[in-house]
Amino acid sequence: MMMTFDIQQPDNSIAKRLEDKINDLAKPKGSLGTLEELAFQTGLIQQTLTPALRKPVNVIYAADHGIADEGVSKSPKEVTRQVIHNFLNGGAGVCFLARQHGFKLKIVDSGVDFDFPPLPELINRKIRKGTRNFRYEAAMTQEEMEQAVRSGAEVVEECYRNGSNVISFGEMGIGNTAASSMWMTCLTNIPLIECVGAGSGLDSEGVRHKYTVLKEALDHYQGSREVLPVMQYFGGYEMVMAVGGMLKAAELKMVILIDGFIMTNCILAASLLYPEVLSYCIFGHCGDEAGHKRLLDSLGARPLLHLGLRLGEGSGAICAYPIVESAVRMINEMHTFSQATVTKYF
């Protein structure tokens, strides 16, 4: 049975006091722009005039995709397990960012096509050694999808129990931009051609081949465009776990940092199940993957950064974190006009 979540819209009764506090800081009204918006949102999520960010975590769910057998990615499937070893050894792209910004990394084997030995730093939630090939059949069964949602949520609950109140999500899985393109076109009705990009580095011929394969899969699909059937037919185990993780984080009233194209598709799916989840989300960046900007626009999201990133792993979300931190410092550390003995000048 599909796990359910109790996600509440943040209580707006504190909104006026938050607004007044931010406006009373010794600065021209609105002059700190997005920092003021982030401080307001964080205060609203935490229901306090003195928000705090504690023990940030970046959860990376990793799994393989059957569609990768169709040559839709520049990278071969074994790269998934190789990159996981690089995560665990501290040498991957996201690792230096996590160290720089004080994030704990949680690496989850959601369904990698490899038998890892027991590794203390690798969380084993493997459902199967990769999804089935959605060019011909559903990527996963309903039971597997439900298990993935539960497992994703359990990892987040543990982070919360260990004191975290701010979380970002990343992914690793060769073929997952292909799966994400399918979610995007099915769930937004944006034409597939606008949803398909280079992924890990396809050239124009590679992108054309990827589009042809995905178009064939879409034409073959007889199912509903409702969110759960789309998640099940085209998804990756890591993507469905991220949906479960995001929903649990919102239920626990955590601040959620959204990463790139794949994680934006995951929050799209999550928001179609529980629209209230978006109140807890801060969108870290707009990446270079084709379709990401269109997807953000469809959600009405305003990303903090535009750095040309397309790595995934949670890297863009972690890059954006210091801006959120600055917003929280602003509301907690700036003096009011009366404290600073400055005449209000607006």
Side-chain angles (χ1 to χ4, degrees):
M1 188 173 164
M2 181 59 76
M3 184 176 186
T4 58
F5 298 87
D6 179 20
I7 301 174
Q8 304 293 325
Q9 197 75 22
D11 184 351
N12 254 321
S13 59
I14 198 175
K16 178 73 167 64
R17 287 157 61 213
L18 273 167
E19 204 174 279
D20 288 347
K21 181 175 181 182
I22 291 166
N23 288 341
D24 199 37
L25 300 175
K27 57 173 177 54
K29 188 175 177 181
S31 61
L32 281 171
T34 299
L35 296 187
E36 298 189 22
E37 294 168 20
L38 291 171
F40 179 84
Q41 182 184 1
T42 308
L44 202 59
I45 289 169
Q46 297 183 359
Q47 293 288 294
T48 178
L49 302 180
T50 54
L53 302 171
R54 294 188 302 274
K55 297 189 176 181
V57 179
N58 183 58
V59 179
I60 300 177
Y61 301 103
D64 279 305
H65 291 249
I67 195 67
D69 295 339
E70 304 295 328
V72 294
S73 173
K74 181 162 185 170
S75 306
K77 201 186 276 187
E78 61 263 24
V79 168
T80 304
R81 65 173 163 83
Q82 292 166 353
V83 171
I84 287 175
H85 285 300
N86 205 20
F87 288 147
L88 298 175
N89 293 332
V94 75
C95 297
F96 76 85
L97 290 165
R99 286 190 292 269
Q100 181 183 359
H101 299 304
F103 273 70
K104 187 172 179 58
L105 285 181
K106 296 267 189 185
I107 315 300
V108 183
D109 176 4
S110 308
V112 181
D113 189 5
F114 183 73
D115 288 315
F116 291 99
L119 297 165
E121 295 304 307
L122 182 63
I123 301 168
N124 181 11
R125 292 288 188 277
K126 193 194 294 285
I127 292 173
R128 185 177 183 271
K129 286 184 172 180
T131 55
R132 298 158 190 84
N133 185 343
F134 66 65
R135 189 175 188 178
Y136 307 109
E137 61 181 320
M140 64 188 79
T141 66
Q142 183 171 331
E143 292 72 25
E144 288 169 351
M145 176 177 68
E146 291 168 359
Q147 184 185 341
V149 169
R150 279 195 304 276
S151 295
E154 285 162 6
V155 172
V156 170
E157 191 147 32
E158 187 187 340
C159 296
Y160 177 80
R161 280 202 306 268
N162 290 334
S164 174
N165 70 355
V166 55
I167 194 161
S168 60
F169 296 96
E171 39 56 44
M172 180 61 215
I174 299 306
N176 60 13
T177 60
S180 296
S181 296
M182 300 304 277
W183 281 18
M184 179 178 169
T185 192
C186 289
L187 299 178
T188 66
N189 291 318
I190 294 170
L192 179 63
I193 192 78
E194 296 178 38
C195 305
V196 177
S200 60
L202 291 171
D203 59 17
S204 56
E205 182 52 47
V207 174
R208 270 196 298 276
H209 170 72
K210 180 178 177 181
Y211 171 74
T212 301
V213 169
L214 297 187
K215 179 74 168 67
E216 186 182 306
L218 190 61
D219 290 344
H220 179 254
Y221 176 60
Q222 299 298 311
S224 151
R225 297 288 183 106
E226 294 295 309
V227 61
L228 290 175
V230 168
M231 282 170 57
Q232 179 188 331
Y233 200 94
F234 296 112
Y237 297 127
E238 82 284 25
M239 294 165 63
V240 178
M241 281 198 195
V243 172
M246 289 167 176
L247 292 173
K248 177 54 75 172
E251 182 179 76
L252 295 170
K253 300 179 167 49
M254 300 173 81
V255 174
I256 305 169
L257 303 170
I258 303 297
D259 190 42
F261 180 63
I262 295 150
M263 289 298 103
T264 306
N265 274 288
C266 293
I267 197 60
L268 166 68
S271 71
L272 290 171
L273 294 168
Y274 294 87
E276 301 82 4
V277 71
L278 290 174
S279 299
Y280 297 87
C281 295
I282 294 168
F283 289 82
H285 75 118
C286 180
D288 251 14
E289 180 64 17
H292 193 199
K293 184 181 186 306
R294 284 293 310 270
L295 186 57
L296 289 164
D297 289 346
S298 77
L299 283 163
R302 291 195 300 131
L304 296 179
L305 302 173
H306 295 76
L307 298 177
L309 304 177
R310 53 180 180 84
L311 175 63
E313 304 176 2
S315 52
I318 298 178
C319 271
Y321 178 69
I323 299 172
V324 185
E325 218 173 7
S326 294
V328 168
R329 284 184 176 272
M330 177 204 77
I331 196 171
N332 288 326
E333 297 180 20
M334 272 187 81
H335 285 182
T336 62
F337 282 105
S338 56
Q339 286 172 321
T341 60
V342 173
T343 303
K344 273 199 178 185
Y345 51 94
F346 63 83

